[in-house]
């Protein structure tokens, strides 16, 4: 167990028992770790970092009842973060792919051949 897990695990055990202060402290520790973890993987999307950290913390909150004490808390939380990151990449991929046909249409609309045909039809 590393130092981070050594600090986090007792907080999470107390959280599982209903200690709200321990829960807040655990989420604060996790948020810092998540920012570092995701920042390294989101260098091309720095504006989305904080939103993904918050989305991951929400997922951790919603899934905290499914936590298995046999698994380190940090590994469990980072697995959730990885899934959220993959979801983000998929969403962005679909959005960017949906703009590609428009970009192709735009390029063809301003191509020199298209511009010549527009001039001829205008006269």
């Amino acid at each position: 167990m590393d130092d981070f897990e050594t600090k986090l695990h007792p907080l999470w055990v107390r959280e599982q028992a209903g200690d709200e202060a321990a829960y807040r402290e655990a989420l604060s520790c996790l948020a810092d770790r998540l920012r570092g973890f995701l920042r390294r993987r989101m260098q091309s999307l720095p504006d989305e970092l904080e939103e993904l950290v918050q989305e991951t913390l929400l997922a951790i909150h919603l899934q905290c009842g499914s936590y298995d004490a046999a698994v380190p808390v940090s590994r469990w939380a980072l697995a959730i973060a990885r899934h959220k990151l993959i979801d983000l990449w998929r969403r962005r991929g679909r959005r960017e792919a949906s703009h590609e046909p428009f970009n192709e249409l735009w390029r063809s609309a301003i191509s020199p051949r298209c511009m010549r045909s527009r001039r001829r039809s205008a006269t």
Side-chain angles (χ1 to χ4, degrees):
M1 219 184 272
D2 67 357
D3 290 341
F4 180 72
E5 187 66 28
T6 302
K7 178 182 178 184
L8 183 61
H9 190 322
L11 292 171
W12 202 255
V13 169
R14 289 177 26 218
E15 177 279 328
Q16 295 284 296
D19 184 336
E20 290 184 27
Y23 184 56
R24 281 192 300 275
E25 190 175 344
L27 287 182
S28 178
C29 291
L30 279 170
D32 292 341
R33 179 60 61 104
L34 291 170
R35 279 185 194 92
F37 174 80
L38 293 170
R39 185 177 293 116
R40 288 188 299 276
R41 288 156 180 81
M42 296 177 64
Q43 291 179 4
S44 63
L45 303 169
D47 296 339
E48 309 246 3
L49 175 65
E50 195 57 34
E51 185 175 334
L52 193 59
V53 168
Q54 294 302 315
E55 189 176 326
T56 303
L57 290 172
L58 177 60
I60 288 169
H61 171 73
L62 294 173
Q63 297 175 25
C64 68
S66 70
Y67 170 69
D68 178 1
V71 177
V73 179
S74 57
R75 186 184 312 163
W76 174 74
L78 292 177
I80 292 172
R82 272 191 299 276
H83 289 289
K84 290 298 177 183
L85 181 59
I86 290 168
D87 289 346
L88 172 69
W89 286 338
R90 285 182 183 149
R91 284 192 309 266
R92 288 193 60 85
R94 278 197 293 266
R95 244 183 308 186
E96 289 168 7
S98 69
H99 293 301
E100 196 160 334
F102 178 77
N103 291 340
E104 287 299 316
L105 178 64
W106 178 252
R107 276 192 285 264
S108 68
I110 60 171
S111 71
R113 191 177 99 207
C114 183
M115 294 301 285
R116 283 193 298 269
S117 67
R118 283 186 180 167
R119 284 187 206 125
R120 277 187 242 142
S121 64
T123 57

